[in-house]
Amino acid sequence: MIALDADDLAVISAHVQDARVQTSDIIWRQGEKRLLVGMNRLDWSRRFPGKPPRAAWSRCCALTGCLSCKSRNIDLGAPETVLELVGIEFHPGEAPGGSAVLMFSQGGALRLDVECLECELTDLGADDLGTSDLGEGAEPSGWDA
């Protein structure tokens, strides 16, 4: 899925809402003008009533044409920290550029000043949460639903 304007980015934002991002999976490649964000999001389509979701989807969100990357309330020096992605917005500047903002819960944010908006979301596949091999009476692992 590719976003080249604010409307397209709103669709990608909906697909990554509530994704979990580990700070070690935020990779700024300044020389390539690119930000990569690895994330996991629960697969709610595989949820059964009264049961937790059975899998998470691993995804990568890549933003290219980035002139700068700034963070607020995110400790990038703590690689094990897990953030919850609230959404992604685009704020137009001098056409075709502007700022893409990744907003996280607890007030965290990444702001990217971009030459033009180009965001790609790639599914990397399902990440089984270990619920398929549960024995009787065992508790499921993974995120709380």
Side-chain angles (χ1 to χ4, degrees), residues 68-72 74 109-113:
S68 66
C69 178
K70 298 176 182 168
S71 67
R72 180 188 71 208
I74 298 174
L110 292 172
R111 189 186 88 206
L112 306 162
D113 293 325

Side-chain angles (χ1 to χ4, degrees), residues 27-36 62-69 112-116 118:
I27 302 165
W28 168 234
R29 294 190 167 176
Q30 186 172 7
E32 297 175 22
K33 297 183 178 181
R34 185 178 181 118
L35 178 77
L36 302 170
L63 290 109
T64 59
C66 303
L67 302 171
S68 66
C69 178
L112 306 162
D113 293 325
V114 297
E115 297 170 324
C116 63
E118 186 175 340

Side-chain angles (χ1 to χ4, degrees), residues 20-31:
R20 303 240 173 138
V21 176
Q22 196 165 326
T23 55
S24 61
D25 292 332
I26 299 172
I27 302 165
W28 168 234
R29 294 190 167 176
Q30 186 172 7

Side-chain angles (χ1 to χ4, degrees), residues 39-43 46 54-60 121-129 143:
M39 60 188 71
N40 287 306
R41 184 169 188 256
L42 292 177
D43 183 2
R46 293 180 60 193
R54 298 178 54 89
W57 280 99
S58 297
R59 294 181 166 162
C60 181
L121 181 65
T122 304
D123 282 336
L124 303 176
D127 180 12
D128 186 5
L129 295 177
W143 301 317

Side-chain angles (χ1 to χ4, degrees), residues 29-109:
R29 294 190 167 176
Q30 186 172 7
E32 297 175 22
K33 297 183 178 181
R34 185 178 181 118
L35 178 77
L36 302 170
V37 181
M39 60 188 71
N40 287 306
R41 184 169 188 256
L42 292 177
D43 183 2
W44 293 103
S45 67
R46 293 180 60 193
R47 181 181 176 150
F48 298 101
K51 304 280 184 180
R54 298 178 54 89
W57 280 99
S58 297
R59 294 181 166 162
C60 181
C61 184
L63 290 109
T64 59
C66 303
L67 302 171
S68 66
C69 178
K70 298 176 182 168
S71 67
R72 180 188 71 208
N73 295 332
I74 298 174
D75 184 1
L76 297 172
E80 299 301 316
T81 301
V82 177
L83 307 168
E84 186 173 320
L85 185 59
V86 174
I88 308 172
E89 292 181 346
F90 181 68
H91 301 278
E94 186 176 324
S99 296
V101 180
L102 287 81
M103 300 164 294
F104 297 92
S105 61
Q106 309 296 320

